[in-house]
Amino acid sequence: MPRDKRYDILFEPVKIGPITTKNRFYQVPHCNGMGHRYPKAMAAMRGMKAAGGWGVVCTEECEIHPSSDISPAIEMRLWDDSDIPTHRLMTDAVHDNGGLAGIQLVHNGANVPNYYSRMPPLAPSDMATTYVHPLQARAMDKQDIRDFRRWHRDAALRAKNAGYDIVYVYAGHNMTLLMHYLLSRYNKRTDEYGGSLENRVRLVREILEDTKEAVGDTCAVAFRFAVDELMGQDGMRWNVEGKEIVEMLSDLPDLWDVNISGWENDSLPSRFGAEGSQEEYIRFVKQATNKPVVGVGRFTSPDTMVSQVKRGVLDLIGAARPSIADPFLPNKIAEGRQDEIRECIGCNICVSGDFTSTPLRCTQNPTMAEEYRKGWHPELIAKRGSDSSVLVVGGGPAGLEATLALSKRGYEVTLAEAYTELGGRVLLESRMPGLAEWKRVADHRTYMIGQAANVETFVDSRLDAEQVLEFGFDHVLLATGASWRADGVGRSIVHPLVETATTKLVSADHILRGGAVTGRVVVFDDEHYYMGSVIAERLRDQGHEVTLVTPSTMAAEWSENTMEQHRIQQRLLQKGVDMICTHSIVKLDEGSVSLACEYTGFQRRIAADTVIPVTMRIPDTSVHQALMAHSDAFADNGILSVSRIADCHAPGTIAMAVYAGHQYARELDTEVPDIPFIREG
Ligand code: ADP
Ligand code: SF4
C-alpha cells in the first residue's frame, strides 16, 4: 500500500550537525539488560530497529570509566579500547540496515555503588548515593574534574573510532554526574563549579565543548537533558532553571534530547499517563534553540507524531518503548500499513529487564531480545513445516498470538473461544482502573487474524474434550487460561481459609468480571504485582472501605521492577485505601479477619465482610486432562499432538503468555534442542 500523504513529513531528513538522518524516527537510548554481557544479542536487537526503519538507533547508557560502574545492571562500557569491538557489532548492525548509530556516554556519579570496580563514587560534593547503598560518594577535587573531562573525551574518541554517528553528553536523568552538578540540592561547591547556575552549568558546557572539539567534525554531539523533575523547587523546573540552562547552552549541542526525570517519570506507565504526557514540559525548548529537538512520549500514533512536528514541539520523534513493541513501526507507516503497528501498551515489563539484569522482554513483541539467540524476526517467520491443521482452544493472549503466528507460517488454524469476545484475561484486566491500553494486546491480534484467510474464529464456543476429539485436527493447542484461587493459599498461606456466615471469600475473577461485593473489603495481596492494587482501587472507587493487607513491606512489591510501585502506593493512599503491610491472614471470623505479623506472629483483628485473596491462580486443565485420558484414541481421530501453554500450563504475566503462544507457533514441526537458544558469554 502506498504511504498516506499525511505522514510524508515523518520521512523528511533532519540535519544534526555534520550528519543527516533519513527520517524523523529516532530510537532514543534505552537499557535492555544485554549490553556488554550479551553484545551479539544487543547488536542484533539494535540492527533490527534500523531494519524496521528507525533513522537513528542509540545505545543504552555507556559507562565511560570504572568509577561509573552500575553493575549488577547491565549497560554498555567504553572504559578502554578493549571495549571497541563490542560497539563495532552495534554500529555495523545499525549501519548495515540503513540507520545512524548514537551512543549515550555516561558517568553515573553518585548513582552507582561501584561494587565491581570498588572505586569510591564521585559527586560534586559529599553526598549519599542516590540509591540505597551502604556508602557515600566523595566530593571531586579539581584533579578529579580534569580526570573526568579526560575520560569523557577519550570515550568520545573511542566512540567515533567504533563508528558512532551521534555522541551524547548525558544529563537526562537524576542518575548522572552531570545532572548532579546542575542540581543545587547536590552541588554544594563553593568554587567556579558550584553556586550560581552559570557555575553549575560550567562542567556541562566544558564537556560539550570537549566532545565537539574531539569528535564534532564527523559526529553530531547530542545533549540529553531533563528539563523537569516534577519535584518542585528542590529539583529542576522547566520554567525556571530548565529554561535558563537551555537558553545558556542554546546552540552549543547539535541536538537537544529533552525529557523529564527521574526515569519513572520519563518512562511513565500507561496506568499513570497517556501518550505525549511530556509535552507541557518540553515544548519550550524549540523556541530557545536553532538546533533540532528530540523527545519521547510513548508515541505510537502517526497522527500524534505529525502533530508534534507540525506544531513545532519536536523535530525528531523519539521512542524507546514504541520501538521495542514494534521495531518495524516506521516501515509500517512508510508502507501504508499503520493499522498493523503493534502499539506499546505502557506496561513497563521491558523495564524489568534492567532491574533484574536479564535481557528485556516485551508484552507486545515476543521476539524482543530473541533476534540473535533464537533467530526470531519480529515480522518474518518460517513457512509451515507441514500442511497440518491446528485447533487453538482459548482466545487469550497466548491463543491469539499462537493463532496469528501460526497463520503467518501458513497453517490452517481454527480458534475457539468460550466467551463472546476474544482477549481472555487481557479483556478483563483492561477494564480495571488505568489498564485500558492493555487491551491493545488483544486488539492488534484480533485485527491481524481477521485479515488472515487461513484462520477461522469461533467465539461463544466452549469446547469439551469430546468435541476436540471429534473434530480431528492434526494439532490441538490448549490455551485455556487460569482462574484465581479464592481460598488464600499461595506463598504465605498454606492451608485454605474458610469463610464464615458473615465474612465471605470472593475470588479476584469475580471482580474482574464486574461482580459486586458487600461491605468492608480486605484485599489480601500475596502475589505482589498489579492485581491486588487494581482490585483495591476499583472497590474503593465504588465506595467500599478497603484495606490492602500484604506480607510484603509495601503494596505491589514486584512493580518496583516496572517503576510503578511508588505511584501505586501513592494512588491507593490518596484514594483512602488502608494498608497493612508485613501481615498475613490467619483466619476469617464473624465480621472480621485475624491477621498475624510476618515477623513477630502478633495477631490483630480488623473488620471485614468480604475478603479477596490475590495469591495464585489455578491452571484450567480440564479439557487437557479429559483429552489426555483418551490419548489412545488420538491416532484414530487423526490427532498428532496435544499441547498446553501459558496460563493453563504455568500462570505468569501477559508477556509470558504472548511469548508462549509465539514459541509454540515457531516450534511446530521443528526439532527443538534442549537448550533452545544460542548462549553468549
Ligand atoms: P492465556 O493468558 O494463557 O492466554 P487467558 O485466561 O487470558 O489465558 O485466556 C484463556 C481463554 O480461554 C479465555 O478467554 C477462556 O474463555 C478461554 N477458554 C477456556 N476454556 C475454554 C474452552 N474449553 N473452550 C474455548 N475457550 C476456552
Ligand atoms: Fe511497551 Fe510493555 Fe512492550 Fe515495554 S513491555 S515496550 S511498555 S508493551
Side-chain angles (χ1 to χ4, degrees):
M1 281 236 288
R3 176 165 89 210
D4 187 324
K5 286 262 168 278
R6 284 177 303 162
Y7 305 141
D8 284 355
I9 196 169
L10 300 174
F11 294 89
E12 290 171 351
V14 178
K15 190 169 171 354
I16 312 176
I19 61 162
T20 303
T21 67
K22 68 175 180 184
N23 59 31
R24 296 183 189 270
F25 294 96
Y26 190 109
Q27 183 243 273
V28 294
H30 72 76
C31 62
N32 55 86
M34 296 188 284
H36 66 86
R37 190 172 308 162
Y38 308 110
K40 290 181 185 161
M42 176 278 299
M45 178 272 288
R46 300 294 188 198
M48 195 63 81
K49 307 267 195 91
W54 296 89
V56 175
V57 179
C58 297
T59 60
E60 57 275 42
E61 65 169 37
C62 172
E63 301 163 3
I64 61 169
H65 188 261
S67 60
S68 173
D69 155 33
I70 200 167
S71 46
I74 306 167
E75 310 292 341
M76 291 292 272
R77 283 179 179 161
L78 207 37
W79 293 0
D80 65 18
D81 287 357
S82 71
D83 291 310
I84 291 176
T86 292
H87 288 267
R88 271 271 167 216
L89 295 174
M90 146 98 188
T91 54
D92 285 350
V94 171
H95 291 154
D96 289 351
N97 288 293
L100 295 172
I103 180 167
Q104 181 175 255
L105 299 181
V106 69
H107 195 292
N108 285 299
N111 187 53
V112 288
N114 294 336
Y115 287 138
Y116 173 62
S117 70
R118 301 184 179 179
M119 294 177 173
L122 298 173
S125 313
D126 287 321
M127 63 181 275
T129 46
T130 52
Y131 279 80
V132 178
H133 299 291
L135 76 167
Q136 290 183 202
R138 69 175 177 84
M140 292 164 73
D141 61 21
K142 287 287 172 52
Q143 185 56 43
D144 292 321
I145 291 179
R146 282 192 289 275
D147 286 344
F148 168 59
R149 288 180 62 178
R150 180 169 49 82
W151 300 334
H152 202 283
R153 188 173 191 282
D154 288 351
L157 286 167
R158 283 185 208 110
K160 178 179 171 177
N161 184 355
Y164 287 102
D165 307 288
I166 300 175
V167 176
Y168 268 77
V169 173
Y170 179 28
H173 294 106
N174 174 31
M175 302 190 286
T176 66
L177 182 62
L178 287 174
M179 187 71 171
H180 299 159
Y181 268 84
L182 293 176
L183 294 169
S184 59
R185 72 176 184 277
Y186 298 140
N187 185 342
K188 305 292 183 195
R189 298 179 75 95
T190 52
D191 62 3
E192 69 270 31
Y193 290 98
S196 68
L197 188 59
E198 186 76 44
N199 280 357
R200 283 183 275 129
V201 170
R202 187 175 310 279
L203 188 57
V204 167
R205 185 189 292 282
E206 288 173 349
I207 294 286
L208 279 166
E209 286 168 352
D210 291 347
T211 311
K212 285 194 84 162
E213 190 271 319
V215 301
D217 53 340
T218 58
C219 300
V221 176
F223 182 41
R224 196 175 197 195
F225 172 52
V227 298
D228 208 296
E229 293 181 283
L230 308 187
M231 61 183 292
Q233 62 178 8
D234 283 337
M236 187 69 70
R237 291 165 295 178
W238 73 268
N239 50 354
V240 188
E241 308 87 345
K243 202 154 190 257
E244 276 186 66
I245 291 170
V246 178
E247 285 165 359
M248 276 180 199
L249 299 173
S250 180
D251 287 350
L252 183 54
D254 296 315
L255 172 70
W256 282 90
D257 180 342
V258 286
N259 64 306
I260 57 175
S261 181
W263 185 17
E264 69 286 0
N265 295 326
D266 194 12
S267 292
L268 191 64
S270 60
R271 187 169 171 186
F272 299 101
E275 184 178 16
S277 65
Q278 300 199 20
E279 182 178 328
E280 61 178 301
Y281 304 97
I282 62 168
R283 71 174 155 227
F284 78 88
V285 178
K286 261 194 71 61
Q287 316 310 318
T289 176
N290 296 305
K291 297 303 170 86
V293 177
V294 61
V296 296
R298 210 160 46 74
F299 297 119
T300 57
S301 148
D303 295 306
T304 308
M305 297 175 194
V306 168
S307 156
Q308 291 285 315
V309 178
K310 285 203 166 156
R311 287 185 297 112
V313 182
L314 298 174
D315 298 294
L316 292 142
I317 302 300
R321 292 172 294 173
S323 75
I324 294 169
D326 198 339
F328 279 67
L329 180 150
N331 281 3
K332 287 180 182 175
I333 300 172
E335 293 159 12
R337 297 189 292 125
Q338 55 275 0
D339 51 353
E340 294 180 21
I341 293 172
R342 245 186 340 268
E343 291 183 281
C344 166
I345 68 167
C347 62
N348 278 8
I349 279 290
C350 49
V351 169
S352 70
D354 196 51
F355 286 94
T356 57
S357 301
T358 49
L360 85 169
R361 53 196 310 172
C362 170
T363 301
Q364 277 283 55
N365 176 11
T367 68
M368 181 41 59
E370 299 292 17
E371 300 85 354
Y372 168 74
R373 66 175 197 171
K374 283 197 166 179
W376 287 4
H377 188 290
E379 300 300 314
L380 304 176
I381 190 163
K383 287 275 157 279
R384 63 184 176 171
S386 70
D387 56 7
S388 297
S389 57
V390 187
L391 171 66
V392 178
V393 185
L400 282 171
E401 175 62 23
T403 302
L404 176 58
L406 286 166
S407 76
K408 284 186 179 169
R409 289 192 66 188
Y411 288 99
E412 294 294 324
V413 192
T414 299
L415 171 63
E417 164 55 47
Y419 191 58
T420 51
E421 207 179 324
L422 295 172
R425 60 181 288 193
V426 166
L427 201 61
L428 301 176
E429 293 178 22
S430 66
R431 294 175 187 150
M432 300 304 281
L435 304 188
E437 279 191 28
W438 292 22
K439 187 155 176 290
R440 290 173 170 180
V441 174
D443 289 345
H444 170 72
R445 289 164 178 84
T446 303
Y447 172 78
M448 294 297 287
I449 62 179
Q451 311 295 305
N454 54 347
V455 177
E456 270 203 284
T457 303
F458 298 91
V459 291
D460 207 3
S461 303
R462 179 174 292 280
L463 301 186
D464 57 26
E466 223 166 88
Q467 289 167 307
V468 173
L469 274 174
E470 265 170 32
F471 292 153
F473 287 92
D474 298 314
H475 299 283
V476 177
L477 176 64
L478 299 167
T480 47
S483 52
W484 287 97
R485 288 187 83 118
D487 62 4
V489 170
R491 289 189 176 87
S492 306
I493 299 176
V494 291
H495 303 295
L497 297 172
V498 180
E499 61 185 15
T500 66
T502 51
T503 298
K504 300 294 177 193
L505 286 165
V506 169
S507 86
D509 286 311
H510 178 74
I511 310 300
L512 285 168
R513 291 180 191 284
V517 295
T518 51
R520 298 154 300 183
V521 178
V522 165
V523 177
F524 177 61
D525 184 11
D526 200 11
E527 190 227 15
H528 308 288
Y529 192 16
Y530 56 88
M531 187 56 68
S533 67
V534 289
I535 287 178
E537 202 180 329
R538 161 61 41 85
L539 295 176
R540 183 70 196 129
D541 288 346
Q542 290 174 355
H544 293 276
E545 277 178 34
V546 180
T547 304
L548 185 99
V549 175
T550 176
S552 171
T553 53
M554 64 187 87
E557 180 182 350
W558 196 83
S559 66
E560 287 200 300
N561 294 308
T562 54
M563 299 195 302
E564 293 170 296
Q565 195 284 326
H566 179 83
R567 282 195 167 85
I568 289 174
Q569 188 138 348
Q570 180 186 50
R571 181 168 285 180
L572 292 180
L573 292 171
Q574 283 171 346
K575 287 197 167 180
V577 172
D578 276 342
M579 215 168 282
I580 300 179
C581 297
T582 69
H583 279 72
S584 187
I585 295 181
V586 181
K587 63 181 174 56
L588 275 57
D589 308 300
E590 295 300 345
S592 64
V593 288
S594 296
L595 310 178
C597 171
E598 287 288 293
Y599 296 98
T600 62
F602 292 166
Q603 292 198 10
R604 61 195 274 201
R605 247 193 217 183
I606 59 168
D609 304 297
T610 301
V611 175
I612 305 171
V614 179
T615 56
M616 63 178 286
R617 288 179 290 157
I618 302 170
D620 181 349
T621 57
S622 52
V623 182
H624 184 255
Q625 274 180 4
L627 269 177
M628 295 320 279
H630 294 97
S631 57
D632 49 348
F634 287 177
D636 290 347
N637 290 278
I639 294 177
L640 300 174
S641 76
V642 172
S643 312
R644 65 181 169 124
I645 57 165
D647 288 319
C648 72
H649 188 215
T653 60
I654 297 170
M656 291 167 187
V658 171
Y659 185 90
H662 194 83
Q663 182 179 15
Y664 174 86
R666 290 262 176 187
E667 292 179 353
L668 189 62
D669 291 322
T670 67
E671 288 288 324
V672 183
D674 283 348
I675 299 177
F677 50 81
I678 300 171
R679 296 174 66 184
E680 244 191 298

